[in-house]
Amino acid sequence: MAQKPGIPKGTRDFSPSEVAKRNYIFTIIKKHFETFGFQLIETPSFENSETLMGKYGDEGDRLIFKILNSGDYISKVDSATYESKDSNAISSQISEKALRYDLTVPFARYVVMHQNEIDFPFKRYQIQPVWRADRPQKGRFREFYQCDADVVGADSLLQEVEFVQLYDAVFTELGLKGVNIKLNNRKILAGIAEIIGAKDKLIDFTVALDKLDKIGEAGIKKEMLQKGISEEAIAKASPLFSLSGTNSEQLTVLKELLATSEDGSKGVEELRFIVDTIEMLGLQSAQLSIDVTLARGLNYYTGAIFEVGAPQGVKMGSIGGGGRYDDLTGIFGLKDVSGVGISFGLDRIYLVLEELNLFPEAIDRSLEVLCLNFGDREALAALKLVSTLRGAGVKADLYPSSVKINKQFKYANNRNVPYVILIGEQELSEDSFVVKDMISGTQETYNLKNPEAFLKEFESTN
RNA sequence: GUGGUUGUAGCUCAGCUGGUUAGAGUGCUUGAUUGUGGUUCAAGAGGUCGCCGGUUCGAACCCGGUCUUCCACCCCA
């Protein structure tokens, strides 16, 4: 019995035109990564569980795909654990490998393992799929690609500045105007928590604060109260809830608010440096804005936090994110190596470009010239011409069988082929070929002995 | 992981309160056109109504389960 074909939830097949569009994005990202001096590495699709577990918080652990051990794994579980029906306890005994959840933690592991062969500062980029056992939604998959660029071994804030420029360069070339690069600093969040006397509630406080634009001021106050943050503390923090104005104005307010916090003041200084430097250098199409409610990746970011939002009017979560993590390699035993990096969410960028119709028209032009097949003798001459065209780098093909011309034309039309070449009995006897421009509908005759004439014409219009 | 939502022709979707033979547009095939596509006209093919079970004389429609889609949480690219 034939089984019904299907693919797992949250995964996708990519057909030719989708792959072409995805490659278009990859190529642009890659190009800019390389012009910024990043080197490509790859890491395994799965890691030892202990490398991944505990690095993304409890929530993250839940979303890690675990790989079952080989062999008769269940017999090796001790009876007490087996009887306990405790999923976590059992899974640690029947699974010791897991699919990669992001590219940053494997990179940290890589740096520690290869520390003796790396020249620091090390700028690497990596474009590979990652897996999350999440419940899918629009722009949210269980298998998706991340495009990461990170620098390790450089404390300078100039790195942060560079990453803002990198975001700007990529999105500008993609034609995605007006992306908003949001910038925050973990030290500012820590400083605020310190000032309001809720240092121990930093995570709860920032997670709530992060939802400001979603549930509003009243909503986050309520959530903070529920998490055990005092009303007094919330009142102290309230200037943040309505923080507005230019980056510079916001920094002035923050500086005052955080004057008595060493951490907080440092964060303000760092932000000011980045903002001022970018101001002097200028951006092509993106805008950089401070957003104190930004609180992503708190489990490891220690300094700058980046997030890129889709342009206004596009309903999509963030299309990129990143930040500085001073001690990520620390957990693998390498102290005092600072890292900072950003990530592009390829799959989401794809959806945004698609929605805004920003892919170049000719992107899925997989064939530029199609020779029609009029029969054995004609096809032979056509194949000779096709070889010449291919030699000149033209994507050319000969229709494989001499079916009705009508059908062959229809095929060319569906494949979006801009030029169709006809070599029939008459052309063959005259040693010529006819080129039909499928867009204008006009036809022109060339000599078979001089295909360069057509090539010249072709080059000039493409 | 929690709550909801969706699934009917290759694709986009109609389908009344449960009632005979499940429709449209588009695409496909054939012909008008045996050497000219994208427009037009005519004819034709194409369906386990997601899957499994239940209720009923009778189920695309009601009920349960399951898978899938999308949405809100959680979290995140």
Side-chain angles (χ1 to χ4, degrees), chain A residues 278-428:
Chain A
I278 287 294
E279 187 112 337
M280 284 186 282
L281 295 167
L283 293 174
Q284 299 172 71
S285 72
Q287 59 171 26
L288 178 68
S289 54
I290 288 174
D291 183 353
V292 287
T293 69
L294 181 61
R296 297 305 163 92
L298 272 178
N299 283 298
Y300 45 80
Y301 291 142
T302 52
I305 302 172
F306 299 108
E307 181 174 299
V308 184
Q312 280 202 326
V314 182
K315 203 161 174 275
M316 180 63 66
S318 60
I319 55 177
R324 180 173 285 273
Y325 37 90
D326 279 330
D327 200 32
L328 191 66
T329 57
I331 37 179
F332 298 118
L334 181 62
K335 299 282 180 204
D336 300 322
V337 176
S338 183
V340 56
I342 58 170
S343 180
F344 289 81
L346 171 100
D347 300 270
R348 289 188 176 177
I349 293 171
Y350 179 103
L351 290 170
V352 171
L353 292 186
E354 190 79 294
E355 184 171 337
L356 297 178
N357 232 313
L358 291 175
F359 284 111
E361 185 136 358
I363 200 159
D364 56 355
R365 180 155 297 165
S366 51
L367 202 52
E368 293 164 318
V369 174
L370 180 73
C371 275
L372 302 196
N373 190 323
F374 285 84
D376 293 347
R377 280 186 57 234
E378 292 87 347
L380 195 64
L383 202 50
K384 224 169 140 184
L385 177 60
V386 164
S387 299
T388 307
L389 295 177
R390 287 175 175 166
V394 178
K395 296 174 191 162
D397 211 350
L398 165 69
Y399 197 90
S401 54
S402 58
V403 298
K404 268 201 248 175
I405 296 310
N406 196 297
K407 192 181 159 87
Q408 298 190 40
F409 260 108
K410 219 162 191 168
Y411 176 80
N413 210 51
N414 290 344
R415 284 283 306 267
N416 237 318
V417 182
Y419 295 102
V420 166
I421 289 182
L422 299 93
I423 305 176
E425 199 179 343
Q426 194 186 332
E427 285 78 13
L428 201 56

Side-chain angles (χ1 to χ4, degrees), chain A residues 43-224:
Chain A
T43 63
S45 53
F46 56 96
E47 296 269 350
N48 294 327
S49 298
E50 62 205 48
T51 303
L52 269 26
M53 298 298 283
K55 308 300 189 297
Y56 310 101
D58 292 343
E59 200 57 42
D61 282 358
R62 203 195 78 207
L63 298 176
I64 292 174
F65 274 110
K66 297 166 189 71
I67 298 174
L68 237 33
N69 290 344
S70 310
D72 188 10
Y73 50 83
I74 205 78
S75 70
K76 294 173 186 159
V77 180
D78 66 82
S79 329
T81 307
Y82 189 77
E83 289 301 323
S84 74
K85 296 202 168 175
D86 178 338
S87 302
N88 284 332
I90 295 176
S91 69
S92 66
Q93 291 196 26
I94 62 174
S95 163
E96 50 197 25
K97 298 175 289 300
L99 288 177
R100 145 177 89 213
Y101 177 88
D102 74 353
L103 300 178
T104 306
V105 168
F107 174 54
R109 190 225 80 222
Y110 171 94
V111 169
V112 176
M113 280 181 70
H114 298 269
Q115 51 185 289
N116 293 326
E117 37 189 280
I118 292 174
D119 291 316
F120 294 98
F122 179 45
K123 298 174 82 169
R124 78 84 231 226
Y125 77 96
Q126 195 170 348
I127 298 178
Q128 289 188 279
V130 302
W131 294 270
R132 294 185 187 177
D134 207 353
R135 197 176 276 210
Q137 275 181 42
K138 183 175 190 166
R140 176 179 250 194
F141 308 98
R142 302 216 289 187
E143 177 184 62
F144 62 97
Y145 274 74
Q146 286 192 332
C147 312
D148 275 28
D150 292 78
V151 184
V152 287
D155 295 337
S156 166
L157 285 170
L158 286 174
Q159 302 300 342
E160 275 85 338
V161 171
E162 255 196 354
F163 281 122
V164 173
Q165 290 184 301
L166 181 51
Y167 268 138
D168 181 47
V170 169
F171 287 119
T172 299
E173 184 163 353
L174 286 171
L176 198 54
K177 310 280 184 216
V179 298
N180 186 15
I181 304 170
K182 289 180 274 188
L183 180 66
N184 196 10
N185 195 299
R186 164 71 177 257
K187 296 187 182 94
I188 288 182
L189 293 170
I192 294 165
E194 184 189 329
I195 295 289
I196 66 171
K199 212 169 176 177
D200 55 324
K201 293 273 196 306
L202 172 64
I203 301 281
D204 285 335
F205 175 78
T206 49
V207 165
L209 187 60
D210 190 53
K211 295 178 193 164
L212 180 60
D213 59 342
K214 215 170 195 175
I215 59 178
E217 194 174 330
I220 63 172
K221 280 181 176 167
K222 196 174 147 201
E223 180 163 332
M224 286 177 185

